[in-house]
Amino acid sequence: MREELNNLKNNALAQIIDAKNEDVLEELRITYLGRNGNINELTKEFKNLNDEEKKEMGILLNETKKTIEEAISSKLSEFKKEKSNAWFDYTIPGKKYNLGHIHLISQTIEEISNVFEKIGFVRVRYPEVEWDWYAFGALNFPVDHPARDEWETFFIDTKPHPKFGAMLLTPHTSSGQVREMQRVKTPPIRMINIAKCYRRQSDVSHYPMFHQFEGLVVDEGINITHLKGTLDYFAKSVFGQTVKTRIRPYHFQFTEPSFEVDFSCTICGGKGCKLCKEGWLEVGGSGMVHPNVLKAGGIDAKRYSGFAFGWGVERILMMKPGLNIPDLRQLYSTDVRYLKQF
Ligand code: DAH
């Protein structure tokens, strides 16, 4: 047994010295010192020895164990030292993490507010969960008027307000007009209200949740030329100096007269193409604020007049040459491969 122990020790030490890495060393530790390792196997043979031999072998066995342990731990610290001396190149560039960026719609909202803030408009936001009165009643829609149907409104199933009627998700930013009149009280008012709106609709150019911006100007002596000038300024600022605007008579409950607003096609420059057909793209609505709306906002309709306009942020995006967004719903996807293009 003495010889066996000696061989075991010599073999172990030779293997430990040759070990190439920490994994090999760990395997050797298990082979020799593990619970079912060679040393423990040898102790099983103790039962064949007399007391004297047992004592002698016990001492020898412990010594062998200790020698192997020490050899392993000194080899281990050799590996550790090698590792810490490894050459490190401090000039290697660090890991690059992907940086996010502002969503295309938020970028457009910022662009729109910057354009209007330059000419003195104040950016505001009003509730998305709104009362019927602000969304319709105060905007000169009699109760049960069929024109309300055009707004495909989501109503909230809750008790109506005794004065303001049903609770709903605002279907247009026009609901901010009377709220702004109540906030400012005395004109001049120059509001740009940009907010989320909701309607029961979904196809390639409509989504149940979308964004609108609403301009409102109220002061003494405001007339249609101010409206037309503001629309021209906006169109040129966003789409370039060659873009023209035109207004066509239309009907809205809250403006009189009312107009639809067209921009000369931003894709073909007004010559006529697949998108615009005859050179004009319809963008949104506008008009001179109806006296009943001024009254609802507590404004003296004899002294003051105003104009308003409003349309979709997404509409502006879809008209940007080069962007080519065939389906508006893509904008609301969470696919980073799509979103990171912008
Ligand atoms: N609120 C209208 C819509 O959602 C757009 C609109 C039309 C806004 C005429 C106005 C306006 O301010 O004067 O379709």
Side-chain angles (χ1 to χ4, degrees):
M1 191 167 171
R2 183 192 297 273
E3 208 180 305
E4 258 177 88
L5 255 177
N6 223 1
N7 286 343
L8 188 142
K9 185 169 82 185
N10 290 340
N11 279 342
L13 293 181
Q15 283 175 305
I16 290 167
I17 285 165
D18 274 354
K20 292 274 174 292
N21 56 41
E22 287 179 32
D23 290 342
V24 175
L25 209 55
E26 176 61 11
E27 269 169 39
L28 290 173
R29 193 190 62 76
I30 294 166
T31 312
Y32 290 102
L33 309 175
R35 190 139 43 108
N36 300 316
N38 296 352
I39 300 253
N40 276 352
E41 284 300 310
L42 275 179
T43 52
K44 286 182 190 153
E45 290 175 27
F46 268 38
K47 54 180 185 293
N48 307 325
L49 305 175
N50 63 34
D51 281 358
E52 191 65 21
E53 287 169 331
K54 262 187 199 154
K55 199 171 155 201
E56 200 189 325
M57 282 299 123
I59 293 171
L60 210 59
L61 202 91
N62 275 338
E63 273 175 11
T64 309
K65 209 167 153 183
K66 225 171 128 206
T67 313
I68 297 176
E69 272 170 2
E70 278 169 5
I72 289 179
S73 80
S74 91
K75 187 76 184 174
L76 204 60
S77 42
E78 232 173 73
F79 285 141
K80 292 240 162 83
K81 210 163 144 215
E82 266 171 31
K83 241 195 224 166
S84 65
N85 285 344
W87 186 71
F88 178 71
D89 183 355
Y90 292 93
T91 65
I92 291 175
K95 260 193 201 156
K96 274 217 179 90
Y97 290 98
N98 282 335
L99 266 191
H101 65 74
I102 297 179
H103 191 279
L104 192 54
I105 290 180
S106 305
Q107 289 178 31
T108 313
I109 289 175
E110 272 183 27
E111 184 182 3
I112 294 167
S113 39
N114 285 340
V115 167
F116 284 109
E117 275 165 1
K118 268 199 198 135
I119 56 167
F121 282 61
V122 177
R123 165 100 192 262
V124 294
R125 284 176 77 174
Y126 286 113
E128 289 169 28
V129 182
E130 188 49 288
W131 300 111
D132 177 286
W133 191 75
Y134 285 101
F136 295 117
L139 295 178
N140 198 35
F141 288 79
V143 181
D144 297 332
H145 194 285
R148 285 168 179 254
D149 295 348
E150 288 160 29
W151 273 264
E152 297 175 307
T153 311
F154 287 110
F155 286 90
I156 293 172
D157 189 9
T158 185
K159 230 175 63 213
H161 189 285
K163 209 167 124 203
F164 300 134
M167 191 187 275
L168 43 79
L169 297 181
T170 196
H172 56 176
T173 43
S174 302
S175 57
Q177 289 192 16
V178 167
R179 285 202 176 265
E180 179 70 353
M181 292 175 197
Q182 290 177 334
R183 183 184 74 87
V184 178
K185 293 194 182 76
T186 321
I189 294 171
R190 282 190 212 93
M191 166 195 94
I192 188 77
N193 172 29
I194 314 182
K196 286 198 184 85
C197 301
Y198 303 83
R199 290 187 202 178
R200 295 180 44 181
Q201 52 182 19
S202 185
D203 58 44
V204 290
S205 57
H206 296 93
Y207 198 70
M209 188 273 307
F210 58 103
H211 301 77
Q212 276 192 342
F213 61 102
E214 182 92 7
L216 173 72
V217 170
V218 181
D219 204 348
E220 286 180 11
I222 295 293
N223 60 51
I224 297 175
T225 61
H226 297 120
L227 165 65
K228 183 66 166 63
T230 306
L231 295 173
D232 279 346
Y233 161 76
F234 175 71
K236 289 187 189 338
S237 305
V238 175
F239 295 106
Q241 292 305 312
T242 55
V243 174
K244 296 188 182 59
T245 71
R246 75 175 182 190
I247 50 178
R248 281 180 288 110
Y250 198 70
H251 171 79
F252 292 104
Q253 282 296 121
F254 37 100
T255 40
E256 183 56 41
S258 302
F259 311 102
E260 276 198 318
V261 182
D262 297 340
F263 285 4
S264 59
C265 181
T266 49
I267 309 294
C268 68
K271 288 195 273 298
C273 66
K274 224 167 69 195
L275 181 74
C276 68
K277 308 277 187 309
E278 288 176 354
W280 293 94
L281 291 171
E282 184 192 316
V283 290
S286 70
M288 301 307 292
V289 182
H290 196 290
N292 287 354
V293 178
L294 292 172
K295 279 180 212 154
I299 301 231
D300 180 354
K302 289 213 172 68
R303 181 167 169 196
Y304 296 106
S305 56
F307 68 79
F309 57 87
W311 62 87
V313 172
E314 287 83 347
R315 183 86 187 117
I316 296 292
L317 258 179
M318 293 179 97
M319 284 166 61
K320 289 226 169 182
L323 274 187
N324 189 15
I325 298 168
D327 188 338
L328 182 114
R329 291 169 290 197
Q330 287 173 337
L331 288 172
Y332 298 107
S333 81
T334 51
D335 190 338
V336 178
R337 288 170 307 177
Y338 179 78
L339 296 173
K340 75 201 246 188
Q341 301 176 89
F342 309 110

